Amino acid sequence: QTLLNALSIPLPMGERFIIRAMCDCMEQRPQSSTMKEDIRLFVAQESVHLRQHNEYNRQLCAQRGYGLAKLEFPIRFNLDEVERTGSLQHRLAITVCIEHLTAAVAEAILAHPAWLDQGSEPLRQLWQWHALEEIDHRSVAFDLYVAQGYDMAYVHQLMPEFGHKQLRFLEALLCAMVRMDGADPETARLWLREEVCGPQGLGTFFRERVAELYLPGFDPRTHDALKTLETLN
């Protein structure tokens, strides 16, 4: 359950970054009526996710005695810096990376339901609902980026470093939470690297999903997630 809690902490900040990047693009560049409607629905979904995870994180930290602002700071600082200094293309490319990673996490969680069974029922329902919606709208950021005439080679260039940075943030969050719970953070770090991210955990499945980004002619809609959804009870 601590891993799912650690995954929840950065979500509101990432969703806020995504919403602002896409809304800025809408304001600065003309979009088709179809794209405008897709973005409107996307922003509405992400806004709900943001509120739900904000409230969950607030309650979690109040119950466990965690300092939410301290846990959020490295991720918030990083995204604020990208937002402050990045071009529109850079911010939209990061948005594509975030959405692709989030959809990969969603599929990994839904394809391995035992991970959700380790948490409470409200937590399981929250993650199942969120994962299904992430899969549902996984193509919107990609469509917007491509519609601006931007090259996917730039996304490919950013993804390795960005993805590795998010994994480091997750590891640091997990270890901080475990430490505040009075347990050994090094044991948690080893568990994350070997049991979760290793070949016997979610690592292989997750890396395969991420690697699809680099396939020629990649389009999120061409990935058949039905097999993942069929694993749900």
Side-chain angles (χ1 to χ4, degrees):
Q1 182 166 340
T2 305
L3 178 59
L4 293 174
N5 290 338
L7 282 168
S8 180
I9 295 294
L11 285 177
M13 292 173 284
E15 285 152 353
R16 193 174 293 111
F17 174 91
I18 288 169
I19 289 171
R20 287 200 285 243
M22 298 181 81
C23 288
D24 284 352
C25 185
M26 286 272 288
E27 291 178 3
Q28 296 176 28
R29 293 177 169 230
Q31 308 295 331
S32 69
S33 57
T34 300
M35 180 64 70
K36 288 179 181 177
E37 179 63 10
D38 287 347
I39 293 172
R40 186 189 68 79
L41 294 173
F42 177 94
V43 168
Q45 280 187 320
E46 290 290 2
S47 296
V48 174
H49 295 171
L50 192 159
R51 290 195 297 271
Q52 292 291 332
H53 281 278
N54 255 338
E55 180 59 20
Y56 180 85
N57 293 346
R58 187 190 66 78
Q59 292 186 24
L60 167 72
C61 290
Q63 292 170 5
R64 297 288 187 90
Y66 300 158
L68 180 56
K70 185 176 181 179
L71 291 175
E72 289 180 335
F73 178 77
I75 302 157
R76 186 184 300 279
F77 178 85
N78 182 260
L79 289 177
D80 285 351
E81 185 68 10
V82 172
E83 192 167 32
R84 185 178 68 84
T85 63
S87 64
L88 180 60
Q89 179 182 6
H90 185 77
R91 291 167 61 203
L92 288 178
I94 291 294
T95 294
V96 173
C97 291
I98 292 174
E99 283 297 287
H100 187 65
L101 290 172
T102 306
V105 170
E107 288 196 60
I109 288 174
L110 293 176
H112 301 80
W115 286 94
L116 292 179
D117 294 339
Q118 297 177 36
S120 64
E121 180 60 18
L123 183 64
R124 187 188 70 79
Q125 291 179 1
L126 173 67
W127 277 104
Q128 187 174 91
W129 160 75
H130 190 158
L132 288 168
E133 292 212 340
E134 288 298 335
I135 291 174
D136 177 60
H137 69 217
R138 66 189 183 272
S139 66
V140 179
F142 172 87
D143 289 344
L144 180 61
Y145 181 87
V146 171
Q148 311 317 302
Y150 294 142
D151 192 341
M152 280 299 292
Y154 189 60
V155 177
H156 297 165
Q157 177 185 337
L158 293 177
M159 177 61 94
E161 180 181 356
F162 182 79
H164 185 62
K165 185 179 292 184
Q166 302 320 298
L167 183 59
R168 293 203 310 270
F169 283 146
L170 176 62
E171 183 177 281
L173 278 169
L174 177 67
C175 290
M177 289 177 164
V178 168
R179 184 182 297 108
M180 286 186 278
D181 287 339
D184 180 14
E186 289 306 314
T187 300
R189 191 190 312 276
L190 187 64
W191 172 79
L192 178 66
R193 292 182 179 185
E194 296 187 359
E195 299 298 324
V196 179
C197 298
Q200 302 307 314
L202 304 182
T204 299
F205 183 95
F206 178 75
R207 283 188 288 272
E208 287 174 353
R209 300 288 81 73
V210 173
E212 291 174 352
L213 179 72
Y214 301 95
L215 294 175
F218 167 78
D219 186 320
R221 278 172 299 270
T222 64
H223 174 63
D224 184 4
L226 291 178
K227 291 181 180 179
T228 297
L229 301 182
E230 287 170 358
T231 65
L232 296 176
N233 296 325

